[in-house]
């Protein structure tokens, strides 16, 4: 399977507020996901059609503070912010090796998990997520785990936009990852900004 957009992440300081924001913008309520053990975060999800979804990530008040900064710098956020995106691949180690040969290093893969609201344990492989200022996605391989988009309430996803001062670097990285441009729009500019265009009941909405 070629690399393809898997999910888009909106971060913020409070998950309840994020859910209310997204529902207010899109007219569809996200579904509570679960907690990321030892990362100090929890999430909610909304389908984007196919095997794609929108993830809302915020600190988990029921976990102790983690020993490292929470992912996507959610501790620094004051409101809803599009903080990253993930590309779905098969055979993550092989994709990482090919990307390195092509001149881009996505980082070392590791295993991650979370417990869903129904108690199911989901596990996957991924590369590091510290990509907010680069505009470049991290990689995720779900293996045998059911995809989180299964059964989610959906909205229609149209376009993912990246504004970046070095568009050629982002283009080269996506090519090394085997990512087709597809719904990805790149434009030159500062500062780095990510946004997603979705189709709500009342028309197009851009989240960023």
């Amino acid at each position: 399977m070629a690399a393809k957009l898997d999910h888009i992440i909106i971060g913020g300081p409070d998950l309840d507020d994020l859910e209310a924001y997204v529902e207010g913008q899109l007219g569809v309520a996200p579904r509570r996901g679960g907690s990321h053990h030892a990362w100090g975060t929890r999430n909610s999800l909304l389908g984007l059609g196919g095997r794609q979804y929108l993830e809302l990530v915020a600190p988990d008040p029921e976990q102790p503070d983690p020993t490292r900064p929470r992912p996507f710098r959610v501790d620094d956020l004051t409101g809803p912010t599009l903080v990253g995106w993930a590309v779905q691949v098969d055979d993550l180690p092989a994709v990482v090796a090919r990307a390195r040969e092509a001149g881009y290093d996505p980082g070392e893969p590791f295993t991650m998990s979370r417990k869903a609201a129904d108690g199911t344990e989901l596990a996957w492989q991924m590369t590091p997520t510290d990509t907010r200022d680069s505009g470049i996605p991290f990689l995720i391989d779900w293996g045998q785990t059911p995809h989180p988009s299964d059964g989610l309430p959906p909205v229609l996803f149209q376009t993912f936009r990246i504004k970046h001062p070095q568009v050629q670097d982002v283009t080269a990285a996506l090519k090394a990852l085997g990512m087709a441009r597809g719904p990805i729009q790149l434009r030159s500019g500062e500062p780095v900004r990510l946004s997603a265009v979705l189709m709500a009941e009342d028309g197009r909405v851009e989240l960023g």
Side-chain angles (χ1 to χ4, degrees):
M1 182 185 72
K4 57 170 287 189
L5 191 146
D6 185 78
H7 67 279
I8 297 163
I9 304 104
I10 291 180
D14 183 88
L15 190 58
D16 292 333
D17 290 346
L18 283 180
E19 290 173 339
Y21 166 75
V22 168
E23 184 174 4
Q25 292 290 309
L26 301 175
V28 182
R31 182 174 297 170
R32 190 59 61 98
S35 296
H36 303 106
H37 177 67
W39 279 37
T41 54
R42 58 180 182 167
N43 70 5
S44 290
L45 310 174
L46 189 63
L48 296 178
R51 288 169 59 89
Q52 299 177 127
Y53 64 99
L54 177 68
E55 180 181 23
L56 287 56
V57 176
D60 183 356
E62 296 186 3
Q63 291 190 59
D65 289 339
T67 57
R68 57 185 174 182
R70 289 180 175 88
F72 309 113
R73 305 183 192 176
V74 294
D75 290 315
D76 300 332
L77 302 177
T78 59
T81 306
L82 208 160
V83 292
W85 60 301
V87 165
Q88 182 185 162
V89 300
D90 286 332
D91 195 353
L92 180 57
V95 174
V96 168
R98 288 196 297 270
R100 288 171 175 166
E101 290 175 358
Y104 174 69
D105 186 357
E108 195 64 28
F110 62 96
T111 300
M112 183 67 182
S113 67
R114 73 170 168 87
K115 184 170 289 188
D118 63 2
T120 303
E121 190 78 18
L122 305 180
W124 60 91
Q125 284 188 304
M126 61 188 291
T127 55
T129 62
D130 189 17
T131 58
R132 177 179 170 191
D133 295 329
S134 71
I136 299 170
F138 62 96
L139 303 176
I140 193 162
D141 183 347
W142 292 103
Q144 300 304 309
T145 294
H147 196 265
S149 64
D150 293 347
L152 288 178
V155 295
L156 180 62
F157 168 67
Q158 290 193 324
T159 307
F160 187 70
R161 294 172 172 169
I162 303 170
K163 183 175 75 171
H164 197 282
Q166 303 293 333
V167 170
Q168 67 274 15
D169 293 344
V170 179
T171 301
L174 295 181
K175 183 177 180 180
L177 296 174
M179 176 73 182
R181 285 283 290 271
I184 311 302
Q185 291 183 355
L186 290 169
R187 65 186 179 94
S188 180
E190 296 187 74
V192 174
R193 182 175 184 268
L194 308 178
S195 63
V197 179
L198 311 173
M199 182 60 72
E201 290 184 0
D202 295 332
R204 294 174 64 191
V205 175
E206 184 169 358
L207 301 180

